Amino acid sequence: MFVKLAIRNVRRQIRNYLIYFITVVLSIALLFAVNNLSYSDRIQSLSELSTDIRSMFTMVTVLSCLVTALVLSYATGFMLKLRRREFGMYLTLGMTRRNIQTLFVCETGLLMGFALVVGMGFGLVIFQLVAALFASILEIPFAISAYSLEGVFLTIGVSIGLFLLSTLASRRYLRKVTVSELLKEPSVQKSEKHPVLWCILSVLTLVGFIICLIITYRSLMAAFHNQDGVELLLWLAVDLLMVFLTHFTWSRTLAGMLLRSKRLKNRGTNTVVLRGLSEKMTVNSLLIGALATLLVFSVAMSNVAFSEKVYTDLTIEKECPYDVMALVDLSVKQEISMDEGKKIIERYSPITEEQEFSLYSLGEATLCSTIMGYKEMGMTDLFMPLSQFNTLLTGCGYEPVSLEDEYLLITDIQGICDIDFSNKPVIINGQTYTWAGSSKAYPDFARRLFVYFVVPDRAVDRMDAAYIGAAYTLENHRPDAEALRKDLSWMEQTGDGIEEKNNYAIQEYWRIYNMANAGTLIIGALYISTVFVCMALAILSVKVLSTLEDERRRFAVLYRLGADAKMQKTALFQQIGAFFFMPFMLPLLMTVPIGTIFGEVYEIWNLPGLSGQRAMQTSVIIALAITGIYALYFIITYRVASEAIGDGVFGSGEHVND
């Protein structure tokens, strides 16, 4: 009996359930795609290279489940309150609370079951698209990916868990609510008091937000120079708070202030539109502030995701500039010598070019003593001859360096670059060499070494070599990197146990490792951003549809006053559009400064591939994508509201019941 009644109710309430259904379908589809990708053979093999990949996928899944559970609980509460009169009538007609709870669970269960089937079907397509994106990031050929039973079962399990959570919330509400509360009319919130005060607060929060953005920008530039992100994170949190406060105050102020303009409110149906926006201001303003904050976060996350791929491409060439690079510490016994390592490499690919280099030492720490903690670590000054450094540089496409009785500090740490060595000359073989500057812009030729110094060749004539190295260019630039690295490694007993040792950096292995992490971050960021945007829009849609009964009365009055169907639909379109636009305005505008900031950051990092126009194009693409999702939810919400209110109101000569 309950199943038949539930089916009838779902059919009758299909318009009200539509947004709920679409949101559940999208959530399940995205969850299905990510779960299948996380259990795919490619991700399983990459997880062996980096445990961060599995952790990131797990974190993404957990976070999205929490957000989805929150929104589904909100939507379930909306459906309960929307049908409170119906449930109140059931109670007065003799149905028990347990009967009503069972009926509602059957209805939502039917919807969840159907949404699970449709969502997983849609997820099959999304999974292939995500797999294609991941293959593109890794720069490997794309093949149709097999679906994982673990991913399927995990999606089903999570969906059932979300359904049970929403069921518990609905049962609790139906168990405690009284019949009088179910049957009584909802209270209408009065107009906002102290409109002038709220107007002043709106202006102050907007000015405060702009000031915070300026301070955050300066903190961002300083953080990338000093590698200190604590202050930056603090200001980013303040920015999000200011986004919330700005939308909170403006949503309470704007409609009320516009209503004070007689010229504006007397034009067409503006009075109806503005009063509709003014009702329940406190609830709406809190909601708009929270959703705007969520959308700004999504915009920033999406920018990070799109920029990560190019950034990783450029940094790989800097951190491992040749196909294979070797660096051997001569003070430590090696299981694999340079000659043996070269023979192993040639088994995987012929070597077309080899460039040898050395790092020399006097056994002193004259220069390193300037760097806090380095002398205590037992580090000594290491010197590379200028000719060898320039040979390595020109092989990577860089201009050679010129030095005359000078030394150049090379490091990959910004804090060391910022140290002033101008009063720190060094005497080598009776010749004084002064500081020519410090740089972290050059490729990393001496991996694992924090700092070394480039000097003219004559300065190392009487020094002993502390490290020897070689840069190899291979005929096959993409050998079997995992197998090659394994053959070039050995296990060694240390004080902390058995550790893997390796003197070689393989560009292809480095590329796979970094691209796998970058791909996981990109997909995770895009996934979370999409979930956040969809959930925010679902809440907006539910909020609009929850006031349909009041809107029917308002538009019935408009009809009696002579407004035709076109005028009423225009008023409804404007009212819903304004409500949707409020939390969307600032996140959309934020794409411009975010794009500008990303461009400058990558210029600081000497990564011109993402500067200027490229970063702005990325932001525009993100803005268009979010606008598309926004338009989809807005159109659906408007159509549902228009049909619901139009039954007996729009242009038919019929009236709603008084």
Side-chain angles (χ1 to χ4, degrees):
M1 180 185 72
F2 287 115
V3 175
K4 291 183 179 180
L5 184 58
I7 294 174
R8 183 183 67 84
N9 285 343
V10 169
R11 288 177 178 174
R12 184 166 54 87
Q13 298 280 345
I14 190 63
R15 288 186 304 203
N16 295 331
Y17 276 121
L18 184 59
I19 292 296
Y20 178 89
F21 178 76
I22 291 175
T23 303
V24 175
V25 167
L26 287 176
S27 302
I28 292 174
L30 292 170
L31 189 62
F32 178 86
V34 171
N35 285 341
N36 273 272
L37 184 64
S38 67
Y39 283 100
S40 64
D41 294 337
R42 169 59 62 179
I43 295 298
Q44 293 297 321
S45 62
L46 292 175
S47 297
E48 297 177 2
L49 301 180
S50 172
T51 56
D52 294 339
I53 295 176
R54 171 65 59 192
S55 301
M56 279 193 279
F57 271 108
T58 302
M59 182 182 67
V60 166
T61 302
V62 171
L63 181 59
S64 62
C65 286
L66 290 175
V67 175
T68 305
L70 177 65
V71 174
L72 291 184
S73 297
Y74 186 91
T76 301
F78 152 72
M79 293 305 303
L80 283 170
K81 294 175 182 177
L82 188 67
R83 300 175 58 194
R84 63 188 182 280
R85 287 187 181 179
E86 178 185 345
F87 293 145
M89 290 298 297
Y90 287 157
L91 286 174
T92 58
L93 292 175
M95 288 185 69
T96 65
R97 292 179 183 271
R98 183 178 296 274
N99 293 149
I100 297 176
Q101 291 171 5
T102 304
L103 176 62
F104 189 72
V105 169
C106 288
E107 292 179 17
T108 53
L110 287 171
L111 279 173
M112 180 62 76
F114 188 45
L116 182 61
V117 174
V118 175
M120 291 180 66
F122 188 34
L124 296 176
V125 179
I126 296 180
F127 168 55
Q128 297 300 334
L129 294 176
V130 173
L133 173 62
F134 199 73
S136 174
I137 294 169
L138 293 179
E139 299 177 3
I140 59 176
F142 169 69
I144 298 298
S145 301
Y147 301 102
S148 165
L149 286 177
E150 292 94 335
V152 173
F153 288 137
L154 179 59
T155 303
I156 295 174
V158 170
S159 301
I160 293 174
L162 293 176
F163 169 70
L164 292 176
L165 285 175
S166 62
T167 299
L168 290 174
S170 63
R171 288 176 65 89
R172 181 181 179 185
Y173 173 79
L174 291 172
R175 187 172 62 249
K176 291 187 175 182
V177 68
T178 63
V179 177
S180 60
E181 290 174 339
L182 290 172
L183 294 176
K184 74 177 182 179
E185 290 285 344
S187 59
V188 178
Q189 187 142 345
K190 297 180 180 179
S191 299
E192 185 62 60
K193 296 180 179 180
H194 312 298
V196 176
L197 175 61
W198 281 107
C199 183
I200 295 173
L201 290 176
S202 300
V203 174
L204 290 177
T205 53
L206 181 60
V207 172
F209 175 64
I210 295 173
I211 293 174
C212 286
L213 279 182
I214 296 172
I215 296 175
T216 302
Y217 171 75
R218 293 177 178 175
S219 178
L220 180 67
M221 297 298 105
F224 283 112
H225 281 294
N226 304 328
Q227 295 186 339
D228 182 12
V230 176
E231 182 181 351
L232 173 62
L233 291 175
L234 176 63
W235 280 110
L236 288 174
V238 173
D239 285 338
L240 290 177
L241 176 62
M242 291 306 298
V243 169
F244 172 81
L245 292 176
T246 300
H247 282 82
F248 173 72
T249 53
W250 275 94
S251 58
R252 294 177 72 110
T253 303
L254 191 58
M257 294 303 295
L258 292 177
L259 273 172
R260 289 176 170 266
S261 172
K262 293 183 179 180
R263 182 177 179 182
L264 179 64
K265 74 177 183 179
N266 291 333
R267 184 181 302 169
T269 57
N270 285 351
T271 300
V272 174
V273 174
L274 294 173
R275 284 186 176 175
L277 289 174
S278 296
E279 291 183 358
K280 302 181 180 178
M281 279 188 168
T282 302
V283 176
N284 290 350
S285 57
L286 287 171
L287 177 66
I288 288 171
L291 297 186
T293 306
L294 199 63
L295 290 173
V296 168
F297 180 78
S298 299
V299 169
M301 287 283 289
S302 300
N303 273 275
V304 171
F306 275 97
S307 303
E308 182 65 21
K309 172 64 168 64
V310 180
Y311 168 71
T312 303
D313 281 334
L314 295 172
T315 53
I316 287 173
E317 295 178 1
K318 183 179 177 182
E319 294 177 358
C320 190
Y322 288 87
D323 292 333
V324 180
M325 293 204 68
L327 186 67
V328 176
D329 186 351
L330 296 178
S331 65
V332 179
K333 182 180 178 181
Q334 307 293 333
E335 292 290 328
I336 298 177
S337 66
M338 289 280 288
D339 291 336
E340 292 172 336
K342 183 177 178 180
K343 292 177 182 178
I344 293 173
I345 294 170
E346 288 176 326
R347 294 206 303 260
Y348 288 84
S349 173
I351 296 174
T352 60
E353 189 175 350
E354 176 183 356
Q355 297 170 359
E356 296 182 347
F357 63 93
S358 300
L359 289 165
Y360 297 87
S361 176
L362 290 170
E364 301 174 354
T366 305
L367 298 174
C368 281
S369 61
T370 307
I371 306 171
M372 184 178 298
Y374 274 53
K375 185 176 182 180
E376 290 74 12
M377 293 167 59
M379 299 187 67
T380 59
D381 300 335
L382 295 173
F383 301 94
M384 180 182 290
L386 179 62
S387 61
Q388 294 181 4
F389 184 72
N390 281 335
T391 300
L392 294 171
L393 276 183
T394 54
C396 298
Y398 286 76
E399 292 294 326
V401 174
S402 297
L403 295 174
E404 290 291 339
D405 297 333
E406 297 169 315
Y407 66 87
L408 175 66
L409 185 151
I410 304 297
T411 182
D412 61 351
I413 301 174
Q414 185 64 47
I416 297 178
C417 268
D418 294 335
I419 297 176
D420 185 7
F421 283 81
S422 58
N423 61 347
K424 198 71 174 179
V426 60
I427 300 175
I428 306 175
N429 298 331
Q431 177 66 47
T432 301
Y433 296 89
T434 58
W435 180 53
S438 303
S439 177
K440 64 186 291 288
Y442 293 116
D444 185 10
F445 300 128
R447 68 188 192 95
R448 296 199 309 264
L449 300 179
F450 297 111
V451 60
Y452 63 93
F453 305 89
V454 179
V455 293
D457 289 13
R458 64 181 182 274
V460 301
D461 286 344
R462 300 178 186 177
M463 292 188 194
D464 295 325
Y467 291 84
I468 57 173
Y472 302 105
T473 302
L474 307 184
E475 183 178 294
N476 176 17
H477 297 297
R478 292 191 174 179
D480 186 347
E482 295 181 38
L484 177 56
R485 185 180 186 279
K486 184 176 181 181
D487 287 346
L488 290 172
S489 303
W490 70 93
M491 306 306 294
E492 185 175 296
Q493 182 70 43
T494 65
D496 297 327
I498 298 178
E499 294 183 3
E500 182 183 75
K501 297 292 183 179
N502 187 296
N503 291 323
Y504 295 82
I506 304 167
Q507 189 182 77
E508 176 64 7
Y509 183 88
W510 192 260
R511 187 189 67 81
I512 293 173
Y513 176 84
N514 282 274
M515 286 300 184
N517 283 298
T520 305
L521 176 61
I522 291 169
I523 291 173
L526 292 178
Y527 174 72
I528 292 175
S529 298
T530 304
V531 169
F532 279 7
V533 171
C534 291
M535 297 304 104
L537 293 174
I539 291 175
L540 276 178
S541 299
V542 166
K543 188 65 181 177
V544 170
L545 298 179
S546 66
T547 60
L548 288 183
E549 195 64 32
D550 295 334
E551 297 300 332
R552 284 173 61 85
R553 295 190 181 90
R554 183 177 293 111
F555 282 91
V557 173
L558 264 183
Y559 172 76
R560 295 189 182 101
L561 293 175
D564 58 18
K566 183 178 180 180
M567 292 180 64
Q568 294 179 69
K569 289 182 178 180
T570 300
L572 181 64
F573 184 88
Q574 291 173 345
Q575 184 171 305
I576 296 176
F579 189 74
F580 263 70
F581 185 70
M582 275 188 177
F584 178 58
M585 175 180 60
L586 190 57
L588 184 64
L589 295 176
M590 283 291 290
T591 56
V592 176
I594 287 176
T596 303
I597 289 172
F598 267 88
E600 295 198 19
V601 166
Y602 289 113
E603 286 182 358
I604 291 173
W605 282 347
N606 297 305
L607 301 174
L610 276 178
S611 62
Q613 186 178 2
R614 178 67 179 273
M616 191 58 65
Q617 288 174 349
T618 300
S619 295
V620 170
I621 292 172
I622 293 168
L624 291 175
I626 294 177
T627 302
I629 300 174
Y630 231 86
L632 173 65
Y633 267 87
F634 170 72
I635 291 171
I636 293 173
T637 304
Y638 171 71
R639 292 294 301 173
V640 172
S642 179
E643 292 178 9
I645 296 173
D647 291 343
V649 178
F650 290 161
S652 61
E654 301 175 11
H655 302 272
V656 295
N657 295 328
D658 295 330

